[in-house]
Amino acid sequence: MSEKEKMLMGELYRPWDDELVMDRSRARQITHALNQTKNTEEHYRHQLMEDLFGTIAGEMTLEPPFYCDYGYNIHVGDGFFANFNCVFLDICPITIGDRVLIGPNVQLYTALHPMDRETRAKGLESGRPITIGDDVWIGGGAIINPGVTIGNNVVIGSGAVVTKDLPDNVFAAGSPAKVIRTVE
């Protein structure tokens, strides 16, 4: 099994593998170009996002700067909006539903490092996917941790650190994020 296949399956892998280094380099080149675009270059910006992301299901807006590891593991639905300075560490899939609004400085992390000191010292990594449902609003500065699934119609407060799955129709906030109340 290749290191890339291991990475995508969430198993321990070697991130310095040549194929993965090349994939990250490609993503850095595209995000650099994206982050240099002007507001008047919306068509070019969209072309770059199509080259970078795994899938785009419809209309989307992404305000640069934006950073990611690979890009091809990011899948967004229709009506996606991400504000300035978002970081998506996509060693595993990040799947985002329709009409999702992401505030500035939001960070989505699929990457994990081993808790075991000896394994971590070898430089091995792994990851777990993130899934975000439809009609979700993630407030500025929120962090979504590896393996989290966020239901439909969820609002996440600014600065929240989401460490566990969130069900449909809730407002969650805090660090770690906790369900505060239901929403309509």
Side-chain angles (χ1 to χ4, degrees), residues 25-99:
S25 178
R26 176 190 169 278
R28 298 296 186 285
Q29 290 171 8
I30 296 171
T31 56
H32 178 76
L34 175 68
N35 292 338
Q36 301 304 309
T37 60
K38 298 179 179 91
N39 289 336
T40 57
E41 298 177 305
E42 189 173 317
H43 180 73
Y44 178 51
R45 212 179 259 183
H46 191 71
Q47 284 180 304
L48 291 167
M49 289 183 288
E50 284 181 348
D51 290 344
L52 182 64
F53 285 12
T55 54
I56 299 171
E59 294 297 317
M60 70 169 287
T61 303
L62 186 142
E63 297 288 352
F66 172 78
Y67 304 95
C68 65
D69 281 327
Y70 298 97
Y72 53 67
N73 286 323
I74 301 170
H75 308 279
V76 299
D78 188 31
F80 173 78
F81 174 83
N83 216 322
F84 304 104
N85 208 41
C86 288
V87 176
F88 293 8
L89 300 185
D90 65 314
I91 66 161
C92 282
I94 296 174
T95 305
I96 300 172
D98 294 336
R99 298 169 305 280

Side-chain angles (χ1 to χ4, degrees), residues 89-168:
L89 300 185
D90 65 314
I91 66 161
C92 282
I94 296 174
T95 305
I96 300 172
D98 294 336
R99 298 169 305 280
V100 172
L101 307 174
I102 296 182
N105 300 307
V106 167
Q107 301 168 58
L108 306 180
Y109 300 149
T110 65
L112 288 168
H113 296 279
M115 295 295 281
D116 168 42
R117 174 176 46 96
E118 291 176 15
T119 306
R120 191 172 55 246
K122 293 176 185 175
L124 298 174
E125 299 177 1
S126 67
R128 293 181 55 209
I130 291 173
T131 303
I132 299 171
D134 297 334
D135 302 302
V136 172
W137 173 23
I138 302 174
I143 297 171
I144 312 300
N145 278 301
V148 167
T149 295
I150 296 169
N152 297 312
N153 190 35
V154 172
V155 177
I156 298 172
S158 297
V161 178
V162 183
T163 61
K164 296 186 179 185
D165 293 353
L166 295 174
D168 294 347

